[in-house]
Amino acid sequence: MGCVLLERSIKINWFSVINAMMDICLIYSSILLATMFAESSINVSKLAVFLVGFPPLFGIAILIFYLTGLYSNQRNQDMRFIVINVGIGVVIQSVVTVFILRWNEALRLSLITLLISICIQVLLISITHFIFRHLKQREQRNKRVLIIEGETSFAQAFIEKSYAQSKWYKNVRVLRQPDKDMLITALLNADLIVFGDRIHEKESLVRICLYYGKEILMQPDIYDLFIVHSQIAHMDDMLTLSVHPHKLTMTQRMCKRALDVVGSILIFIILAPLLLILFVIIPLTSQGAAIYKQERAGMGCRRFQVYKFRSMISDAEQRTGPVLAVENDPRITRVGRWMRSVRFDELPQLLNVLKGEMSLVGPRPERPFFTEQFTNENPDYMYRFAVKPGITGLAQVMGKYSSTPEQKLRFDILYVQNYSLWLDVKIAFRTIYTVLQKEQSVGIKQSLMEGHLNKEIGV
């Protein structure tokens, strides 16, 4: 008997498709408007050839929008997120357009036309995306939410994050460790059921929610992440799931290594002036060398020396030993605070990438002291060492510096289990936005959400 793998059906998000089609129309319209503003007369034949003959150029912007998450269902798309990522896509598309059309005098756009076009595109596309987001947000905001809380204080954290994302959910209630009868009673006045982690009889409670036709949002356990993207298979009349081990194939390792080497060299060349400036400024503004080495745990828990720009005072841990940085840490220098806010203190790790100790994308390398501590608290922490550590990773673009080790671990395992070169590219592009987000490099502020729970049930 052979095992035949079944292909998963592709679910099309028509909301995002319509949004992308509108973006294409706006890009075309922006070029037309820019030409009208910048030039006294419009060369209709030139404009027609440009618009009809170069649709792949406009597709570049759509691709960047997709890579940066503008077409995803992420709930953290505030106006700043939209404007920054639209700007990134439009600028990259415009640069490629200029580079290609520089060889064609007949189709070349003037600089003023190009700049006006960029401004109009960013303005119109950002407004459109904000409107689409508002429509989705209004639909979600009116849902009655019931949070099923387990052994951890999940509810308050969930509400804080919901509030931080423009009050995504308004009507929220909490049920702690319910039995079946308590859950059925509470379901009558709920539209969305949110499950935290470490809940007793979680499987039976989920069945009840599905039986009553309720939408479910859950924080996955580590086990759930191992099978979330398993392949559907069957042996004759026996349905099975094919779960692959958490490691890269030989082809994946070769492609990833090639991307690491080429990408690191290009970044070195582009950022060489900045690296030189930081190398000079750091020792001038605080005592000590510009670059220091620190022991980290890499793939297979093998230890290596990671390179970093020094962002703290010299011998910052001489008295305390290994301590994680906290918000407003007094050990951080003025230049170091700025470098950490934009992640520039990590740039020397490009040397680690070229040496083969790290990758551009992967779980962040941690110090052995904390690795042992986190592993003792959660044995599943070891699964993140199945791949090389990275300068950036899924946990870094989806979380914050202040995210707990368990929260980061979920993203790290999700990355390992679903690795692809395409995923690395998406993470690399989303890192651009993360670098521009100062909030993601500091600790969480004291929540303004105390007392936001409008009702609490259970014990």
Side-chain angles (χ1 to χ4, degrees):
M1 290 187 296
C3 180
V4 181
L5 295 179
L6 304 176
E7 294 185 359
R8 290 180 181 268
S9 58
I10 300 177
K11 295 182 179 180
I12 299 176
N13 186 337
W14 290 108
F15 203 83
S16 297
V17 172
I18 295 172
N19 201 348
M21 292 174 64
M22 289 190 64
D23 289 342
I24 294 175
C25 294
L26 290 174
I27 292 174
Y28 277 92
S29 302
S30 298
I31 294 175
L32 178 60
L33 289 172
T35 305
M36 293 173 59
F37 287 137
E39 301 180 15
S40 56
S41 61
I42 299 178
N43 188 331
V44 179
S45 59
K46 171 184 173 180
L47 192 62
V49 172
F50 183 82
L51 295 178
V52 175
F54 292 91
L57 292 178
F58 309 132
I60 292 174
I62 305 302
L63 176 62
I64 303 301
F65 294 165
Y66 168 75
L67 290 173
T68 55
L70 279 172
Y71 298 130
S72 70
N73 290 322
Q74 286 181 236
R75 291 172 166 81
N76 61 343
Q77 295 185 9
D78 56 13
M79 194 61 184
R80 180 170 52 178
F81 175 94
I82 293 171
V83 172
I84 290 177
N85 285 294
V86 168
I88 292 171
V90 170
V91 169
I92 293 177
Q93 170 244 318
S94 299
V95 170
V96 174
T97 300
V98 169
F99 180 78
I100 293 178
L101 297 184
R102 65 183 297 188
W103 310 110
N104 193 321
E105 183 69 30
L107 296 178
R108 190 180 303 172
L109 294 175
S110 66
L111 179 60
I112 186 65
T113 301
L114 193 66
L115 292 177
I116 293 176
S117 173
I118 291 175
C119 294
I120 295 176
Q121 287 181 59
V122 173
L123 176 63
L124 296 182
I125 295 175
S126 296
I127 292 174
T128 303
H129 276 265
F130 185 77
I131 292 173
F132 270 76
R133 178 191 179 277
H134 178 73
L135 293 175
K136 290 192 291 184
Q137 185 188 55
R138 187 173 62 179
E139 177 188 357
Q140 295 289 334
R141 184 178 292 180
N142 294 326
K143 286 185 177 179
R144 298 169 298 175
V145 179
L146 174 65
I147 299 178
I148 310 298
E149 191 169 58
E151 298 174 1
T152 59
S153 56
F154 170 81
Q156 188 66 24
F158 177 85
I159 294 172
E160 288 175 357
K161 296 178 188 302
S162 174
Y163 182 82
Q165 295 168 11
S166 303
K167 302 180 182 178
W168 194 264
Y169 298 113
K170 291 173 61 178
N171 189 0
V172 181
R173 297 180 300 158
V174 179
L175 188 62
R176 290 191 173 90
Q177 294 288 15
D179 56 29
K180 296 179 182 180
D181 293 333
M182 291 171 61
L183 178 60
I184 292 174
T185 302
L187 284 179
L188 299 177
N189 296 311
D191 303 307
L192 174 65
I193 315 301
V194 181
F195 281 87
D197 55 353
R198 302 176 189 175
I199 297 174
H200 301 314
E201 299 184 359
K202 180 177 179 179
E203 184 178 331
S204 61
L205 297 179
V206 169
R207 283 201 183 101
I208 293 173
C209 294
L210 294 176
Y211 176 81
Y212 281 90
K214 301 299 181 179
E215 180 186 355
I216 297 175
L217 188 66
M218 68 171 64
Q219 180 170 258
D221 296 324
I222 301 300
Y223 167 79
D224 299 327
L225 296 173
F226 291 148
I227 63 172
V228 68
H229 279 288
S230 57
Q231 291 180 296
I232 301 173
H234 71 82
M235 282 275 204
D236 195 11
D237 60 348
M238 181 185 297
L239 182 64
T240 60
L241 293 177
S242 175
V243 182
H244 295 284
H246 356 282
K247 62 181 181 180
L248 274 58
T249 64
M250 178 64 72
T251 302
Q252 288 176 328
R253 290 199 298 270
M254 291 174 62
C255 293
K256 188 173 178 64
R257 181 58 183 158
L259 182 65
D260 287 340
V261 173
V262 174
S264 298
I265 293 174
L266 288 176
I267 296 173
F268 257 129
I269 294 173
I270 295 171
L271 298 182
L274 173 64
L275 295 172
L276 181 60
I277 292 172
L278 291 175
F279 189 80
V280 173
I281 288 180
I282 292 172
L284 290 178
T285 55
S286 61
Q287 186 178 5
I291 295 178
Y292 75 100
K293 296 187 293 184
Q294 192 177 68
E295 189 177 53
R296 297 292 175 102
M299 183 176 177
C301 278
R302 289 189 293 271
R303 301 188 180 189
F304 70 99
Q305 296 293 322
V306 72
Y307 301 102
K308 297 187 70 174
F309 278 128
R310 182 175 56 81
S311 60
M312 292 187 176
I313 60 175
S314 297
D315 302 323
E317 296 180 338
Q318 187 175 18
R319 295 182 179 180
T320 61
V323 178
L324 291 173
V326 296
E327 186 180 5
N328 298 322
D329 198 314
R331 301 172 299 168
I332 301 176
T333 64
R334 284 188 301 171
V335 175
R337 197 170 303 281
W338 174 78
M339 285 194 302
R340 292 170 76 95
S341 69
V342 291
R343 314 305 204 275
F344 283 173
D345 58 321
E346 315 287 359
L347 288 177
Q349 290 164 32
L350 292 169
L351 293 172
N352 294 108
V353 176
L354 291 174
K355 290 172 64 177
E357 297 166 331
M358 290 179 61
S359 177
L360 288 176
V361 180
R364 287 292 297 148
E366 192 51 83
R367 283 186 276 181
F369 175 85
F370 294 116
T371 296
E372 294 174 6
Q373 178 182 325
F374 297 152
T375 303
N376 290 334
E377 296 173 358
N378 187 348
D380 293 325
Y381 192 81
M382 294 300 296
Y383 287 116
R384 69 194 300 277
F385 297 108
V387 296
K388 288 181 182 179
I391 296 178
T392 185
L394 188 61
Q396 281 62 55
V397 300
M398 301 301 290
K400 300 180 177 69
Y401 269 5
S402 56
S403 298
T404 66
E406 188 170 0
Q407 289 169 337
K408 293 179 180 178
L409 178 61
R410 286 187 174 93
F411 288 116
D412 289 337
I413 291 180
L414 191 63
Y415 171 79
V416 174
Q417 287 293 100
N418 300 277
Y419 174 78
S420 69
L421 205 61
W422 183 242
L423 178 58
D424 273 3
V425 173
K426 291 170 68 176
I427 292 173
F429 272 94
R430 297 196 185 191
T431 300
I432 300 174
Y433 173 74
T434 302
V435 166
L436 300 175
Q437 285 290 93
K438 183 179 179 180
E439 292 83 355
Q440 294 197 220
S441 63
V442 297
I444 297 175
K445 301 285 186 181
Q446 178 66 33
S447 173
L448 299 176
M449 285 294 295
E450 278 187 39
H452 181 72
L453 293 177
N454 56 21
K455 189 175 180 181
E456 182 176 307
I457 346 172
V459 293

